[in-house]
Amino acid sequence: MTGEDRCPAVEVLDGTSPKLSLKREVGLVGAVSLVAGTMIGSGIFMSPQFVLVNIGSPGGSLVVWAACGLLAMLGSLCYAELGTVIRESGGEYIYILRTSGPVLAFILIFSSVIFVRPASVAGISLSFAEYALAPFYQDCPCPQLLVKCVAAAGIVVTAIVNCLNVRFAMSMQVFFMVAKVLALSVIIIGGVVLLVRGETESFEDSFNGTNLGINPIGIAFYQGLWSYDGWNNLNYVTEELKRPEVNLPRAVMIAIPMVTMLYLLVNVSYLAAMTPRELMLSSAVAVTWGNKVLGSWGWVMSIAAALSAFGSLNGTFFSGGRVCFVAAREGHMPDILAMAHVNRLTPSPALIFITAISLLVLIPGDFQSIVNFFSFTAWFFYTITLSGLLYLKIKKPELPRTYSVPIVIPILVIMAAIFLVMAPIIDNPAIEYLYVTIFIFSGVLVYVPFIHYKLCPGLLEKVTVFLQLFLEVAPADKNL
């Protein structure tokens, strides 16, 4: 049997055969599920106490949640315009590459692949594990080793699902989104019942004790925005979205207002069931709410929260693998990561790579610190991306676009992003933020020798051919 008979992917390397491309499998329902299903994850079940601790009052916390939703909505509208002008997958990476050049784009992908995306996966998987184990450890803390083992199992299962079939992964996303909305609806209905009974003491003098310092407001926003992470997910998979010029803006206009309203009502329900002090001391808000409101059925909320986090993990994997895949296609990552399985048409090498890095980040993982440093890094790159949109609107107004936002919207989001990046540093400088900044710009030290001067190409080529045969993958072309 010849090499060609064994694996058709080898033939593709010499450019004599047409390349594969990822299929457009994501319709409007799938798009809404990808955005809303990723946003509604661990955050709404774990972040409320951290928002309240930092901002200091129930009224202040509700304002933060509403403002986070508004910021996510405005940001997503800006990204919708970018997605209709630059119709390629990859999100921030491809937009920065096209508007700011390869060096900044590589710094983004270096930070994203090594820290930002794996940190997001690790944070979500930790919350999934904590809620999945909560019914078994009601009277004592769950062992951290067991939490991390369950989190690792969740990451591996999600990776396998996404490697096997795009359509099945999207069907799973739709199922989990419906389950999440039902779970949040139970919490909201329970809150309405409590309010009708007169449980309103948490809302008396609701702004008393509000912290107005720059640092507490910034950290409260970090924790709140963690729950909205996923608002830009569709831009990572533009080439797999059916009619992106229509479905991209339409999906975010449906998903984000829906999620914002759900979050506000859920927080009101939490405050109706618990005093602010009880909420701040709770390690798992949804479980505490379930025990107080549902009694012996309180464990149901643990399962609902675990399923919610797992659905968010699935959406994060689905989009995250595509960023790595697109960067490799542009020559900023090893060639093997730009390949898709010859039969399943999934970017399995990129997904496997993200899985490996996420498992490493999980080892020292701490939920709150992961959220803070993830948010700091993410909003730094959102600022650069939206500056690129301003550049396109001012310098390239002739580019065809089916959707456009008023120029004041990206300016407002950029101002908010600069505040979120600078606030914790200015008000309460911590050495960790310096370390994160140094790490971000250390990407230049990798870019110069390995991307610009292309050192060690021979070794990488041999590894690529071996992995291509082993994983049964071939180079995938753009689907524009």
Side-chain angles (χ1 to χ4, degrees):
M1 185 181 288
T2 67
E4 291 181 358
D5 293 329
R6 281 195 303 270
C7 182
V10 176
E11 188 184 32
V12 178
L13 274 176
D14 63 12
T16 58
S17 297
K19 291 184 179 181
L20 305 172
S21 63
L22 305 182
K23 290 183 177 179
R24 292 192 182 273
E25 299 271 17
V26 184
L28 181 60
V29 173
V32 172
S33 300
L34 187 59
V35 177
T38 305
M39 289 170 69
I40 306 172
S42 57
I44 189 59
F45 298 103
M46 293 188 76
S47 290
Q49 67 265 43
F50 298 125
V51 173
L52 187 55
V53 164
N54 283 286
I55 203 65
S57 70
S61 72
L62 292 176
V63 170
V64 168
W65 283 98
C68 288
L70 177 62
L71 184 57
M73 185 71 232
L74 295 178
S76 66
L77 293 176
C78 295
Y79 269 53
E81 179 173 346
L82 278 167
T84 57
V85 176
I86 304 170
R87 299 188 185 186
E88 298 177 61
S89 295
E92 293 86 20
Y93 167 76
I94 203 69
Y95 303 146
I96 291 175
L97 180 66
R98 300 290 179 245
T99 59
S100 304
V103 177
L104 273 177
F106 180 80
I107 290 174
L108 163 67
I109 199 62
F110 177 78
S111 303
S112 177
V113 168
I114 303 298
F115 177 73
V116 176
R117 186 62 54 169
S120 178
V121 170
I124 296 168
S125 66
L126 280 171
S127 58
F128 157 70
E130 287 178 8
Y131 275 112
L133 293 168
F136 305 101
Y137 291 88
Q138 293 184 5
D139 301 318
C140 61
C142 184
Q144 280 303 298
L145 179 61
L146 181 59
V147 169
K148 291 185 178 181
C149 287
V150 173
I155 290 173
V156 171
V157 169
T158 310
I160 291 171
V161 168
N162 279 271
C163 285
L164 289 178
N165 190 280
V166 171
R167 191 168 292 175
F168 179 60
M170 285 312 304
S171 298
M172 233 173 70
Q173 193 67 14
V174 173
F175 168 79
F176 280 116
M177 190 198 74
V178 172
K180 294 174 194 196
V181 172
L182 288 175
L184 294 183
S185 299
V186 169
I187 296 175
I188 291 167
I189 292 168
V192 170
V193 171
L194 291 172
L195 291 172
V196 169
R197 289 179 181 174
E199 302 284 347
T200 59
E201 57 188 72
S202 293
F203 303 100
E204 296 169 5
D205 297 321
S206 59
F207 287 93
N208 187 36
T210 303
N211 295 323
L212 296 177
I214 294 175
N215 184 59
I217 291 174
I219 297 297
F221 266 88
Y222 277 0
Q223 294 292 336
L225 287 166
W226 166 263
S227 301
Y228 288 93
D229 182 47
W231 57 266
N232 55 343
N233 253 14
L234 273 187
N235 295 77
Y236 297 126
V237 298
T238 307
E239 293 171 37
E240 295 170 77
L241 185 62
K242 297 174 183 175
R243 299 178 66 210
E245 69 282 356
V246 174
N247 287 332
L248 182 55
R250 188 177 291 174
V252 297
M253 287 177 185
I254 294 170
I256 297 176
M258 177 184 75
V259 171
T260 302
M261 187 57 64
L262 286 171
Y263 281 2
L264 284 170
L265 294 174
V266 165
N267 272 280
V268 168
S269 180
Y270 287 156
L271 289 164
M274 292 172 267
T275 65
R277 180 169 176 77
E278 285 176 323
L279 199 152
M280 286 189 279
L281 293 175
S282 172
S283 60
V285 180
V287 175
T288 305
W289 183 93
N291 291 335
K292 288 179 72 75
V293 178
L294 302 179
S296 60
W297 286 89
W299 58 271
V300 171
M301 294 316 302
S302 295
I303 303 303
L307 290 175
S308 179
F310 190 82
S312 183
L313 187 63
N314 181 61
T316 302
F317 249 100
F318 188 88
S319 60
R322 271 62 178 177
V323 181
C324 194
F325 170 81
V326 172
R329 197 172 64 185
E330 297 292 336
H332 283 175
M333 296 291 288
D335 288 343
I336 186 65
L337 301 180
M339 298 189 187
H341 195 276
V342 292
N343 296 318
R344 300 188 182 98
L345 297 179
T346 58
S348 49
L351 291 166
I352 292 168
F353 182 73
I354 290 290
T355 303
I357 302 293
S358 300
L359 291 172
L360 288 175
V361 172
L362 184 65
I363 295 170
D366 167 66
F367 180 79
Q368 192 169 3
S369 60
I370 281 176
V371 171
N372 289 343
F373 297 131
F374 167 83
S375 299
F376 171 81
T377 310
W379 281 94
F380 173 79
F381 287 113
Y382 294 157
T383 305
I384 298 173
T385 304
L386 292 169
S387 299
L389 175 59
L390 285 182
Y391 167 79
L392 291 176
K393 291 179 84 69
I394 295 169
K395 296 291 187 180
K396 306 280 186 180
E398 75 282 358
L399 288 175
R401 60 196 82 197
T402 55
Y403 176 80
S404 180
V405 294
I407 196 168
V408 68
I409 292 181
I411 291 172
L412 288 173
V413 180
I414 288 170
M415 290 169 62
I418 291 171
F419 169 79
L420 288 169
V421 170
M422 299 303 296
I425 301 172
I426 293 172
D427 195 55
N428 185 23
I431 193 68
E432 289 83 1
Y433 291 108
L434 176 61
Y435 294 154
V436 172
T437 304
I438 292 171
F439 170 76
I440 290 171
F441 287 100
S442 67
V444 176
L445 302 178
V446 180
Y447 177 83
V448 173
F450 296 108
I451 306 300
H452 186 72
Y453 290 107
K454 301 187 183 300
L455 295 183
C456 306
L459 176 63
L460 281 177
E461 200 169 307
K462 291 176 183 177
V463 172
T464 299
V465 172
F466 169 76
L467 289 175
Q468 192 181 2
L469 288 164
F470 180 71
L471 297 173
E472 297 183 0
V473 295
D477 213 348
K478 295 180 183 180
N479 186 10
L480 303 179

